[in-house]
Amino acid sequence: MTVDPLAEIVALLQPSASYSKLVEYAGRWRIRRNIEGKPVFFAVLEGACRVVSSGRPPIIVRKGDFVLSPSTNDHVVESIDAPPYGIAMMPTKIGEGRFRIGKPDEPVNLRMQVGLCSFASPDAVLLVSLLPAMIVASDEPRLALLLQLVADETRHSRPGREVVLERLLEVLLIEALRCGADVTSIPSLSRGLADDRLVTALRAMHARPERSWTVAGLAAEAGMSRSAFFARFTRVVGHPPMEYLLAWRMALAKRLLRTRELTIEHIAAQVGYGSGSTFSTAFSRHVGMSPMRYAKAMRIRHDRYSGFPSFGPGGS
C-alpha cells in the first residue's frame, strides 16, 4: 500500500473549523489578518483583490481562485484600487454568516467565502512548517463544493458536527495542497513530493519509519549520490534528511503515546529505535520531557476536556 506523506501530515494536524462566512467588499478597502498560526482559506466568488504578505511579492486573485495559507502570521488583503497606506477596516455583520467591509454607500467589487480553522495537534507548528506558506488554486469545482459543505456545517449544530468538519477540512486541505500552486517558492514537503527524485525517499521514510535509515540509504532510494541528495533535500524540503526523519518519528511517537495502548519498547520499535532507553533519550531531548511524562500530560489534558478519567501505562 502506497503511503501519502501529505495526507498523513494533514490527518496528524487534526483540523477543526472556527468559522466560515460570506464577505462582501465595497469601494476602496484594506483588511489586515494577523491571527498568528491560524490557517485561513478563502474562495473568490466575484471580483478580484490583492494579497500582500510580509517578505513576498503581492499576488492578484480573481473569481474562481481558492487561496490557502496554513499559517497566517501577517498578511493584508486589499482592493485593486487600494486606499492610502496605513488605512485598514473591520468587517461589519449584515446577516447570519454574512459580513461587509467598506462603506455602506459604495458598490460591492468583491465577494468571498472566508474560513478560519485551527489545528489541535501538539505538533502543529512543526507540521505546518513542512507545508507551503500560501497556495492558490484556480477553477477547481471540487474545492468550491468542499467549501460550501464546510460553510453549511459550521452554520448548524447537527449531531457529529465536529467529526464531519474535521474530515471535510482534511479533504479540503489535501485537495488544495495537491491541485494548487505554491506561490511562495518556500521550501516545503509539497515541493519535495513534486520532485521526481526526492518523492521516493520521502515516501520510503513515511512508509517505513521503523527502518534504520541513513542519508546514504535514503539517497539510494532517490537514485542519487549521498552529497547530491543531502543538498537537494535540504534545499527543496527545508530540513536536512535526518532532521526531517527525526521530526516525523517524534510526531508519530507522540500520536502513539496519546493512544495509551502500547509499551515504550513497542513504540520505540515502531519509530526506528532499537531499545526503549534509546528512544526515551531521543524523545526527551527532542520534546523536553520523557515519553511517560508526556503520556501522563496528554491523559490529564484528555480528562480535563472530556470529563472522564482514563487509564493507561502508569495509570491506576
Side-chain angles (χ1 to χ4, degrees):
M1 180 178 169
T2 302
V3 172
D4 184 346
L6 204 57
E8 283 195 309
I9 285 179
V10 171
L12 270 181
L13 281 169
Q14 303 170 50
S16 61
S18 298
Y19 64 72
S20 179
K21 59 190 181 183
L22 181 66
V23 185
E24 58 183 44
Y25 304 77
R28 302 175 70 195
W29 54 269
R30 175 182 292 115
I31 186 166
R32 180 179 296 276
R33 302 187 185 281
N34 56 1
I35 310 170
E36 187 174 353
K38 291 282 190 180
V40 65
F41 50 90
F42 53 87
V44 183
L45 307 177
E46 179 184 323
C49 65
R50 182 185 296 108
V51 181
V52 184
S53 301
S54 177
R56 296 190 287 271
I59 62 170
I60 304 295
V61 292
R62 298 176 172 83
K63 179 181 178 180
D65 287 347
F66 176 90
V67 180
L68 167 67
S69 180
S71 180
T72 308
N73 291 318
D74 185 16
H75 71 243
V76 170
V77 183
E78 61 186 19
S79 55
I80 301 299
D81 180 19
Y85 182 78
I87 295 178
M89 303 170 181
M90 296 297 291
T92 301
K93 188 172 183 178
I94 57 175
E96 187 60 36
R98 295 177 61 237
F99 291 79
R100 182 185 176 95
I101 292 171
K103 296 179 179 179
D105 57 343
E106 294 280 359
V108 173
N109 52 43
L110 175 74
R111 286 188 174 85
M112 296 200 300
Q113 187 74 38
V114 180
L116 185 73
C117 66
S118 59
F119 295 139
S121 171
D123 297 306
V125 173
L126 164 68
L127 296 170
V128 166
S129 73
L130 302 177
L131 302 176
M134 184 174 290
I135 293 167
V136 177
S138 299
D139 297 317
E140 293 289 343
R142 286 162 60 89
L143 284 172
L145 176 59
L146 286 166
L147 199 62
Q148 288 176 13
L149 292 171
V150 169
D152 178 69
E153 199 64 35
T154 56
R155 287 195 295 267
H156 299 88
S157 297
R158 292 184 281 242
R161 175 180 181 272
E162 298 307 318
V163 175
V164 171
L165 274 173
E166 183 174 341
R167 296 297 173 266
L168 282 173
L169 285 168
E170 285 180 9
V171 177
L172 179 69
L173 293 174
I174 293 169
E175 189 71 21
L177 288 164
R178 73 181 185 180
C179 72
D182 179 358
V183 297
T184 61
S185 297
I186 293 174
S188 68
L189 173 63
S190 292
R191 291 188 65 200
L193 293 174
D195 187 297
D196 58 356
R197 290 293 187 89
L198 298 183
V199 64
T200 56
L202 282 163
R203 285 180 175 160
M205 275 190 266
H206 281 255
R208 302 187 296 278
E210 75 285 353
R211 185 168 170 177
S212 298
W213 290 110
T214 62
V215 175
L218 291 167
E221 292 282 337
M224 301 174 68
S225 70
R226 183 187 185 282
S227 58
F229 170 76
F230 182 90
R232 186 160 166 173
F233 191 102
T234 304
R235 183 181 71 253
V236 174
V237 179
H239 301 270
M242 301 312 289
E243 183 181 308
Y244 177 93
L245 179 61
L246 172 64
W248 178 242
R249 282 172 166 170
M250 291 299 114
L252 291 177
K254 285 183 178 181
R255 181 175 65 180
L256 292 170
L257 285 165
R258 289 195 296 272
T259 67
R260 305 179 303 280
E261 296 173 355
L262 303 172
T263 65
I264 297 299
E265 288 71 20
H266 195 154
I267 292 174
Q270 289 200 28
V271 295
Y273 290 87
S275 70
S277 59
T278 305
F279 164 67
S280 294
T281 300
F283 188 93
S284 299
R285 187 182 301 120
H286 185 82
V287 179
M289 65 178 76
S290 70
M292 291 304 295
R293 185 179 169 193
Y294 176 84
K296 183 177 180 181
M298 290 299 102
R299 284 204 303 276
I300 293 172
R301 178 183 175 188
H302 174 271
D303 295 345
R304 181 180 300 144
Y305 289 102
S306 69
F308 293 97
S310 57
F311 304 96
S316 58

